[in-house]
Amino acid sequence: MVSSNINLINEPKLAENTNLVTSLVITKGDRKIGIVGYIRPDTKERTQPSNVIFKQEVPAINKETKKLRDQGIDIIIALGHSGYEKDMEIAKRCPDVDIVVGGQSHTFLYSGKAPSKEVSEGPYPTIVVKPDGRKVPVVQAYAYTKYLGNLSLEFDSGGNLLSFKGSPILLDNRFQPRRDVQDFLQLYRQVIDDMERHVVGTTSVYLNGDRKSCGYSECNFGNFIADSFVYARVVQTMADRSSWTDASIGLINAGAIRASIDPGETGAITEADVVTVLPFSQDLYYTRISGSQLMKALEHSAQMRSKHMTSAHLQVSGLRLKFNHSLPKGERITEIRALCSECQIPHYEAVDTNGYYGVVVTSFLLNGGEGYSFVDPKRPEVENMTILDRMAVIQYLQEHKVIYPEREDRQYVQQKHIANSGYMSLEPNLILSFLYFCHRFLV
């Protein structure tokens, strides 16, 4: 495992692991090839808390490749998990890197007609030209081991790239699986088969869990999953008849939603489908936080969305928000209303910064994932609901039988405008009428 841009000084057990290194040198024929790893620095916020220090990719890679060059290594591959855009930046800004093999963004690259339904986001390889004119191939091979990356390169004796060719290979039924792998999988096949046969509900609509949809705006699958969190708490608190629930708000970050569900011919949703969507098996937690803290969390979601941090954007239940992403950081939410909990008939009310609100979140968010804070520093009140996120979804599906979640303007994005400009905001038709009046009667 290679990663040049992490510091393990505060994680001694990881630091002692000899299989975790900054770079590796392999030998092919009579040539030595260096492989330098990298990972996106915001992994700190995207994973469960740890003391690992993450550094910026480019300077860390350049520091490591210099060491390899000093050892006489003249062919260097950067292998990483930071996304297609960062891969291309590394190809351009890291002078010693000859090839970039990337991941994380699940980018499908292909030259010519694609062999399956994926739409190519660029040629394979994508060629980036360094400031000195050298060409660097950048490749990714989508996701889910659907394709095998395949790139052939020719170098001269000085480590200069002469030629390259290749194309991802679709791993379809033309390929015979290895017997030993099949035998190993067979040990667990029954469990998977049972999950694939176990129908837990039915959908009459497409459940959109696409990262680009859920990561930038409200998506119907995100709505449904967050609703299932609230429902799980309602079921748990049924014995307390003082209110319909103590947590009317449910939140999940877009990065936790890993797939969509197509209704197909029958609309059947299996347990295996739900596990594919929510593979991390996170515990759900009830937490009680102030209105002020809730507003800060939602502003953080707006800020991350504006930074194109698609995994951090929150999908919500029990909230109605209005955003204006042209406004300054910390001021992008123009309206927040929350579903009341201590009321006989649930309805939406403006969030009171001094009030307190019960919220259901995943363990990832509760523990500070994506930079969020959902534990009240003054009056911490947290309870493990002892139910996994996917089990909450399954429970909701089983008890509601057929679902058809919609987009409901839970997160309404307002039109951009010039803030504090001093000008009146006029409707376009009114402006046209005014201009016509000036031309007709004043000219």
Side-chain angles (χ1 to χ4, degrees):
M1 198 170 291
V2 286
S3 183
S4 63
N5 64 319
I6 59 173
N7 185 322
L8 303 176
I9 190 171
N10 297 322
E11 286 283 1
K13 287 186 178 180
L14 279 177
E16 292 170 4
N17 193 321
T18 56
N19 290 321
L20 179 56
V21 294
T22 51
S23 64
L24 188 69
V25 176
I26 62 174
T27 302
K28 292 293 180 182
D30 60 350
R31 301 301 298 273
K32 291 187 181 298
I33 302 167
I35 301 175
V36 178
Y38 60 93
I39 187 171
R40 55 189 293 175
D42 67 345
T43 301
K44 181 75 173 180
E45 286 76 41
R46 295 159 61 89
T47 57
Q48 297 288 0
S50 71
N51 293 315
V52 176
I53 299 168
F54 293 83
K55 299 176 285 186
Q56 292 300 310
E57 297 98 321
V58 170
I61 292 171
N62 285 338
K63 181 179 179 181
E64 192 66 21
T65 56
K66 185 179 184 303
K67 293 179 184 177
L68 294 176
R69 288 290 184 185
D70 291 343
Q71 297 172 29
I73 311 299
D74 56 13
I75 299 176
I76 296 178
I77 301 170
L79 173 68
H81 194 260
S82 289
Y84 185 48
E85 295 297 324
K86 181 60 70 172
D87 296 340
M88 291 189 289
E89 180 188 343
I90 288 166
K92 188 170 187 176
R93 295 182 57 204
C94 295
D96 297 325
V97 168
D98 299 296
I99 315 155
V100 179
V101 180
Q104 194 279 322
S105 55
H106 297 178
T107 305
F108 178 64
L109 302 175
Y110 206 85
S111 300
K113 185 180 179 181
S116 188
K117 64 182 179 179
E118 286 73 34
V119 177
S120 174
E121 297 183 40
Y124 186 103
T126 297
I127 300 303
V128 174
V129 181
K130 292 184 185 293
D132 62 5
R134 287 184 296 139
K135 296 179 179 179
V136 180
V138 175
V139 293
Q140 277 202 38
Y142 191 53
Y144 315 118
T145 323
K146 183 172 183 176
Y147 294 88
L148 175 66
N150 177 37
L151 185 65
S152 298
L153 305 109
E154 181 184 6
F155 291 85
D156 65 15
S157 58
N160 300 302
L161 181 63
L162 299 177
S163 65
F164 49 84
K165 63 179 180 179
S167 193
I169 300 169
L170 176 64
L171 299 177
D172 55 17
N173 56 14
R174 294 174 298 165
F175 295 90
Q176 190 69 28
R178 275 179 46 166
R179 184 67 190 175
D180 58 336
V181 175
Q182 292 298 299
D183 290 343
F184 177 77
L185 291 176
Q186 197 60 38
L187 299 173
Y188 306 94
R189 181 67 62 193
Q190 187 61 50
V191 176
I192 303 300
D193 287 346
D194 291 345
M195 291 172 64
E196 289 177 341
R197 285 193 293 264
H198 183 203
V199 175
V200 294
T202 302
T203 179
S204 57
V205 301
Y206 183 77
L207 301 177
N208 184 12
D210 179 71
R211 179 72 64 85
K212 292 181 180 178
S213 298
C214 300
Y216 288 105
S217 61
E218 171 190 346
C219 63
N220 75 329
F221 210 175
N223 286 350
F224 171 76
I225 294 170
D227 286 349
S228 75
F229 292 179
V230 173
Y231 181 75
R233 187 62 179 178
V234 170
V235 172
Q236 286 189 352
T237 56
M238 279 292 287
D240 179 8
R241 309 305 292 178
S242 61
S243 64
W244 68 275
T245 185
D246 60 358
S248 59
I249 299 169
L251 302 172
I252 184 170
N253 63 302
I257 305 170
R258 309 301 278 195
S260 302
I261 295 180
D262 192 316
E265 294 182 0
T266 66
I269 301 173
T270 67
E271 184 180 354
D273 291 330
V274 178
V275 173
T276 301
V277 173
L278 298 170
F280 301 119
S281 298
Q282 299 186 71
D283 286 329
L284 292 186
Y285 279 83
Y286 160 84
T287 182
R288 187 171 179 271
I289 59 174
S290 69
S292 175
Q293 192 172 1
L294 175 63
M295 293 174 74
K296 287 179 181 177
L298 296 170
E299 282 285 359
H300 181 68
S301 176
Q303 180 192 353
M304 293 295 100
R305 185 262 191 196
S306 299
K307 284 185 173 183
H308 306 291
M309 306 284 284
T310 57
S311 66
H313 182 66
L314 294 176
Q315 295 295 316
V316 307
S317 178
L319 291 170
R320 293 293 183 269
L321 314 172
K322 289 184 179 180
F323 294 92
N324 189 324
H325 292 285
S326 65
L327 294 176
K329 171 185 172 182
E331 301 176 15
R332 293 182 175 134
I333 299 179
T334 58
E335 181 179 313
I336 307 178
R337 292 184 298 137
L339 201 60
C340 62
S341 56
E342 296 180 2
C343 48
Q344 289 188 321
I345 301 177
H347 58 278
Y348 286 88
E349 301 173 336
V351 169
D352 178 4
T353 56
N354 296 316
Y356 276 80
Y357 297 84
V359 184
V360 179
V361 295
T362 60
S363 55
F364 173 72
L365 290 176
L366 186 82
N367 291 324
E370 304 284 15
Y372 285 101
S373 174
F374 285 108
V375 179
D376 191 287
K378 297 180 180 178
R379 298 169 54 185
E381 188 175 328
V382 176
E383 177 189 331
N384 189 333
M385 292 170 54
T386 65
I387 185 172
L388 299 178
D389 52 1
R390 59 185 173 89
M391 295 310 299
V393 168
I394 289 172
Q395 174 181 255
Y396 193 96
L397 285 167
Q398 289 176 327
E399 298 187 15
H400 287 76
K401 308 298 183 186
V402 180
I403 62 166
Y404 37 89
E406 59 186 289
R407 290 185 60 180
E408 305 171 356
D409 281 339
R410 297 184 183 186
Q411 303 190 58
Y412 181 76
V413 179
Q414 297 173 311
Q415 295 295 320
K416 292 183 178 181
H417 67 275
I418 301 174
N420 301 322
S421 63
Y423 292 105
M424 293 177 63
S425 175
L426 299 175
E427 292 292 331
N429 289 339
L430 185 59
I431 294 173
L432 290 174
S433 299
F434 175 73
L435 292 175
Y436 174 78
F437 173 82
C438 292
H439 177 76
R440 179 71 177 81
F441 297 104
L442 301 181
V443 176

